[in-house]
Amino acid sequence: MPPRLQLLLALATCVTALTGCGDLPAAPSPAELRVQAWHADVVPVLQQHCVGCHGGAEPMGSLDLDPFVAAGDPPDEAALRTQAGLAEKLAGHVAGGLMPPPGEVRPDPEAARAFSAWWTKHLEQAWAAAPPDPGRVTMRRLNRYEYRRTVRDLVGVDFPAEEIFPTDDVGYGFDHIGDVLSMPPILFEKYLDAAARIAEEAIWDYDPRTPRRLEAERLRISRGGRAVGERVLMTSDGSVLAPLEIGRGGRYAVRVRAWADLMNETPAWLELGLRGRKLAKHHVFARAREPAVFESILKLTRGPHELAVAFTNDDWDPRNPDPRKRDRNLHIDWIEIQGPLADGRTPLPPAQQRLVPCDPEVGEERSCAQEILRGLLRRAWRRPPTDVELERHVGLVMQAMADGESFRGALRLALQAVLVSPHFLFRVELDERSGPGTRSAPLDEHALASRLAYFLWSSLPDDELAAHADAGTLRTALHDQVTRMLAHPRAAALVENFGAQWLELRRLDTVAPDPGRFDTFDEKLRKSMRRETELVLAALIREDRSILDLIDWPYTYVDPLLARHYGLEGVTGKGFRRVKLTDERRGGLLGHASILTLTSYPTRTSPVQRGKWLMEEILGTPPAPPPPGVGTLETQDPALLKLSLRERLQQHREDPSCAVCHDRMDNLGYGLEAYDPVGRWRRVDGDVEIDASGVLPDGRAFDGPAELRAILRDDPGFPRCFAEKLLTYALGRGLEPYDRPAVLKIVDEARQKGLRFSSFVHAIVASEPFTMRRTSGEPR
């Protein structure tokens, strides 16, 4: 019998009878595999490469890793969750080649991958085994940007909150984080003043849809006329003056009812003027049997005016045989004014028409106030008011009227009360207790609608979103609502608010390149730089492109000024246009002058600042603060200032405490050295040829911005970083270690849909942190 067949028969007998050969060994359990991998993949790296510095009596950086080695067994799931930040740092630093630092012996690539994989895998398992924790968002007030947009959408008043209110504090990269938004006394005083100003502009003393008429007896005859019954007869060149009190500057419709006594079939000339300036002229052919109304649209400023209505072509022919044709005269019946007009013709913007939909008759004031305030409170507070809350504000209106205020004046007082209420100034999310032993609960539908609206629009919910919340159907309609809202013009807030803060574009307003070295940089170019980045981000959202196009997209938007700055030909005319980039110099955010300028010093580029920006905003791995006492390049030994910038940075990295961050940060920045401090392409810096090559700590090498863009486009850190930034913005709080499973799920769902912008938004809106909140207890 052949040996191979003998072996097969022996194995078959062993498996069937389980005698003579002994029992088959049992497969190791997951817990045993976990321990085995710990001792095989983690402990050797800690012993050989880590505890030498981060151990002993005085561990470097106060990071002591000895307990991990001494414990014998790996940390359990609860311990991993407690030390999640350290676990993520160990995995990331070793995998990325940041630790051990340059000059120290490093584990081979396979050992480094296995070490990092153990921490990453078991940390994710630890979070998956933990009870759900959506976190808790601190009640937070509207920031300046949100306040302006909310007031605009509520009452149609564009109040310049950014110019009047103090700057909002920033936390986690954004200025709407509840934990850092305070309410200093000076701000509340400004809220009171703002409420009065907004109410005055939103609710007018009169309805501009109703014309105000001045009959003939209220007109003052300057010269050339006299009162005849209920009209003014102008028998010679002259004018009558109409007293006007203009409460708000704007365009007004001015109408004059008039007719003429014609002479030789020539019409009478009717002219309107103000302070000696002619504003309009009409030819009056109408006769007494059919008077006509002559309308002019005039731009009037706020304050008292006397509008002159003049007769300017008097004539007299006493020899005419027809007595009716001997004299040309002008008859004026009345003058009326209507406005201000929203767009030149419409009497009132839609927001203000909705604000005061009824003008009550005597005795109907209470019911009209209830109708107005129920809708106003519902929109302003982002939820239906209780009966007590409604009646409190109706009572304020009635009391003000009892004290002598007009109905509209009383409404203004009620609107002021609404605008200074905590329910308006703060986004309040009341706890929804869900039973004993539970630590989280779904958000109330009105709170969910508010979260969604301020996430995508930085403003209050519109009628459709509010109707879903009222009906309790918002959760089932979330996907459709997100799609609708992203297509709405209000979604421009994602560019203006989220994009400007994430990419740090607001800092561009304060940078000041040296005018002696960069004389082409001025305010117009500064605005064009920022507008390019805004338009690219807007196109990404509008066209629902992959976020990877932010890294490397062969198109951009330029106007002629920015095109000249970039050396692009064929861009003429006015405004911005989309252009295709035909070489590899530009493409994506890394080639935008806005980013390149705000990450430079006034006189030179800064690979450190540019690399730091990439680590913080693109890769999501912000470097640690510099150690105390470490100087900048400008404070180095003067002899070093003779070296090239790259050589000086290399000297700076000789300090091991600096090298751990700068080894990666500086090399990322080197890839953008082909751009000068205001973003122009260059080949030399003074007398030194530009070297835009770099090698990252993990061994990835590049030469120039195009190869750097390719590395960043393939780096898994960017989608994760983008998800973290957008989730932080959506929630209004900083992310915690227990949010990591949600972040990973968001990225995974977005990857399945090509990393399109909308896929991140849909995944965030459906996530547990967005739709729920912690109701009690401490973080898990």
Side-chain angles (χ1 to χ4, degrees):
M1 181 181 295
R4 179 178 177 83
L5 183 56
Q6 292 178 6
L7 178 60
L8 289 174
L9 288 174
L11 286 173
T13 303
C14 179
V15 171
T16 303
L18 291 178
T19 58
C21 298
D23 293 338
L24 289 176
S29 67
E32 292 172 329
L33 290 174
R34 183 173 184 270
V35 173
Q36 291 174 11
W38 169 262
H39 288 289
D41 300 332
V42 177
V43 173
V45 173
L46 291 173
Q47 289 175 327
Q48 298 169 27
H49 303 282
C50 300
V51 295
C53 294
H54 298 289
E58 296 183 1
M60 183 178 294
S62 300
L63 174 60
D64 187 5
L65 299 179
D66 273 337
F68 285 117
V69 177
D73 290 332
D76 59 22
E77 290 176 342
L80 273 176
R81 290 194 294 270
T82 302
Q83 298 177 303
L86 173 59
E88 291 180 352
K89 185 176 292 187
L90 288 171
H93 279 30
V94 172
L98 298 176
M99 279 292 182
E104 300 290 338
V105 178
R106 295 181 173 181
D108 63 70
E110 185 56 39
R113 281 192 292 270
F115 175 88
S116 299
W118 190 96
W119 290 104
T120 301
K121 173 184 176 181
H122 294 290
L123 183 58
E124 291 178 6
Q125 290 177 350
W127 285 124
D133 186 354
R136 188 177 183 89
V137 178
T138 302
M139 182 177 73
R140 59 186 177 89
R141 65 171 173 83
L142 303 179
N143 69 7
R144 298 183 303 171
Y145 184 84
E146 293 168 337
Y147 185 97
R148 180 174 189 169
R149 292 176 68 90
T150 300
V151 167
R152 182 201 64 190
D153 295 337
L154 177 66
V155 296
V157 174
D158 188 11
F159 178 77
E162 293 98 333
E163 301 171 12
I164 294 175
F165 294 163
T167 303
D168 296 305
D169 294 323
V170 176
Y172 304 98
F174 297 100
D175 64 2
H176 70 319
I177 304 299
D179 290 336
V180 301
L181 284 175
S182 58
M183 176 69 87
I186 185 64
L187 178 58
F188 190 73
E189 291 179 12
K190 290 185 178 293
Y191 279 147
L192 292 173
D193 293 340
R197 176 174 164 180
I198 293 165
E200 181 181 0
E201 190 171 343
I203 301 178
W204 300 346
D205 295 322
Y206 55 88
D207 188 342
R209 294 167 292 187
T210 303
R212 291 171 285 162
R213 181 170 297 181
L214 288 79
E215 301 292 349
E217 61 267 21
R218 294 184 58 190
L219 304 178
R220 183 168 67 87
I221 301 173
S222 175
R223 58 184 174 82
R226 68 181 186 275
V228 178
E230 296 182 350
R231 71 182 190 278
V232 172
L233 172 61
M234 306 295 296
T235 57
S236 62
D237 288 356
S239 62
V240 296
L241 301 176
L244 303 178
E245 184 66 39
I246 303 300
R248 291 167 180 78
R251 295 186 178 276
Y252 286 76
V254 177
R255 305 182 186 97
V256 181
R257 188 174 190 263
W259 66 91
D261 299 326
L262 301 184
M263 179 179 169
N264 299 324
E265 303 303 322
T266 302
W269 292 351
L270 184 156
E271 295 184 1
L272 302 181
L274 201 63
R275 300 187 190 92
R277 183 166 57 94
K278 185 187 299 184
L279 301 178
K281 180 178 180 179
H282 298 279
H283 291 177
V284 182
F285 285 98
R287 306 300 294 269
R289 60 180 178 272
E290 292 186 31
V293 175
F294 301 89
E295 180 181 88
S296 304
I297 304 298
L298 306 181
K299 187 175 183 180
L300 302 176
T301 59
R302 180 176 180 174
H305 299 279
E306 279 195 321
L307 180 70
V309 180
F311 173 43
T312 60
N313 67 331
D314 178 46
D315 201 358
W316 183 46
D317 182 7
R319 292 175 295 186
N320 193 303
D322 187 347
R324 295 172 299 179
K325 297 181 179 180
R326 292 175 183 171
D327 195 7
R328 183 183 301 124
N329 301 312
L330 179 67
H331 302 258
I332 299 175
D333 188 6
W334 48 253
I335 298 172
E336 71 178 19
I337 184 168
Q338 182 180 7
L341 309 178
D343 57 8
R345 300 300 305 178
T346 306
L348 202 62
Q352 296 189 22
Q353 291 184 35
R354 183 169 69 171
L355 187 60
V356 186
C358 57
D359 266 326
E361 301 291 338
V362 175
E364 297 178 352
E365 292 90 351
R366 175 174 288 276
S367 61
C368 183
Q370 287 176 333
E371 177 187 350
I372 292 172
L373 290 172
R374 182 178 288 107
L376 175 62
L377 289 168
R378 168 68 186 80
R379 296 192 301 275
W381 292 357
R382 285 83 70 178
R383 62 168 176 82
T386 65
D387 292 342
V388 173
E389 291 167 337
L390 175 60
E391 188 55 37
R392 185 182 302 129
H393 287 77
V394 172
L396 178 61
V397 172
M398 302 309 295
Q399 182 61 52
M401 291 183 65
D403 292 340
E405 276 285 359
S406 67
F407 179 72
R408 287 175 174 267
L411 280 179
R412 280 201 298 272
L413 290 175
L415 176 56
Q416 290 181 53
V418 171
L419 294 178
V420 297
S421 166
H423 298 289
F424 173 77
L425 295 175
F426 288 84
R427 290 174 51 193
V428 181
E429 296 174 353
L430 300 177
D431 282 344
E432 293 290 330
R433 305 290 177 181
S434 56
T438 59
R439 297 165 42 134
S440 62
L443 278 178
D444 166 80
E445 291 241 333
H446 293 101
L448 181 59
S450 181
R451 271 198 186 185
L452 183 57
Y454 280 94
F455 171 28
L456 300 183
W457 291 348
S458 295
S459 184
L460 47 76
D462 66 355
D463 289 343
E464 183 171 339
L465 198 58
H468 275 292
D470 290 342
T473 57
L474 181 55
R475 272 184 169 75
T476 59
L478 273 178
H479 188 278
D480 291 342
Q481 285 301 303
V482 168
T483 300
R484 176 184 72 88
M485 294 172 71
L486 284 175
H488 196 283
R490 291 188 190 179
L494 285 167
V495 175
E496 299 169 1
N497 203 13
F498 166 69
Q501 294 190 80
W502 164 43
L503 300 175
E504 302 183 30
L505 293 180
R506 294 180 180 178
R507 287 207 293 121
L508 188 63
D509 296 338
T510 58
V511 299
D514 184 347
R517 302 189 184 194
F518 309 105
D519 57 356
T520 61
F521 183 88
D522 57 17
E523 289 304 311
K524 290 183 179 179
L525 183 59
R526 187 198 305 270
K527 292 179 181 179
S528 293
M529 288 177 174
R530 177 165 178 166
R531 190 59 182 152
E532 175 195 20
T533 306
E534 291 174 341
L535 289 171
V536 167
L537 185 55
L540 178 98
I541 297 172
R542 182 178 61 254
E543 299 170 16
D544 198 19
R545 306 187 66 84
S546 166
I547 64 164
L548 299 182
D549 284 346
L550 291 173
I551 302 297
D552 192 9
W553 191 41
Y555 293 89
T556 193
Y557 289 84
V558 293
D559 62 359
L561 180 62
L562 191 59
R564 286 195 299 272
H565 189 70
Y566 286 166
L568 300 176
E569 298 179 351
V571 179
T572 58
K574 295 182 179 180
F576 278 79
R577 67 189 62 185
R578 184 161 162 169
V579 297
K580 183 174 177 60
L581 302 171
T582 56
D583 60 35
E584 295 185 338
R585 294 182 179 183
R586 310 244 174 218
L589 297 175
L590 275 62
H592 284 200
S594 59
I595 305 300
L596 296 163
T597 301
L598 66 86
T599 54
S600 294
Y601 289 119
T603 59
R604 66 169 177 83
T605 59
S606 173
V608 176
Q609 294 296 324
R610 289 175 174 178
K612 179 175 179 286
W613 185 89
L614 287 171
M615 291 178 68
E616 291 178 341
E617 312 303 346
I618 300 299
L619 298 174
T621 55
V630 175
T632 65
L633 293 184
E634 280 69 17
T635 61
Q636 288 179 337
D637 185 335
L640 297 178
L641 298 179
K642 299 178 181 179
L643 302 176
S644 70
L645 178 59
R646 193 181 185 102
E647 291 170 332
R648 289 155 60 195
L649 286 171
Q650 181 62 44
Q651 291 279 355
H652 195 62
R653 291 201 302 274
E654 293 297 324
D655 185 340
S657 62
C658 298
V660 64
C661 292
H662 282 273
D663 198 36
R664 187 184 196 197
M665 186 161 53
D666 295 1
N667 276 280
L668 287 169
Y670 290 152
L672 303 179
E673 273 295 277
Y675 305 104
D676 76 2
V678 291
R680 295 176 301 196
W681 185 262
R682 63 180 182 176
R683 297 187 182 278
V684 295
D685 180 12
D687 297 329
V688 180
E689 186 175 348
I690 292 296
D691 180 1
S693 64
V695 180
L696 300 180
D698 60 6
R700 290 178 294 174
F702 58 86
D703 187 0
E707 293 184 10
L708 175 60
R709 292 197 301 267
I711 287 177
L712 295 176
R713 188 180 178 99
D714 292 338
D715 196 306
F718 177 51
R720 176 185 50 76
C721 175
F722 184 79
E724 291 173 347
K725 298 287 185 181
L726 195 58
L727 182 59
T728 298
Y729 177 80
L731 297 178
R733 67 168 174 84
L735 299 189
E736 301 293 343
Y738 53 76
D739 292 310
R740 183 170 177 79
V743 171
L744 295 176
K745 184 178 180 182
I746 290 166
V747 174
D748 183 60
E749 292 179 6
R751 283 194 183 282
Q752 296 176 28
K753 298 178 181 178
L755 295 176
R756 296 184 179 276
F757 181 85
S758 68
S759 65
F760 284 90
V761 176
H762 281 292
I764 286 173
V765 170
S767 70
E768 185 178 275
F770 191 86
T771 59
M772 302 184 72
R773 75 189 309 261
R774 188 191 309 141
T775 57
S776 63
E778 297 298 321
R780 65 187 182 187

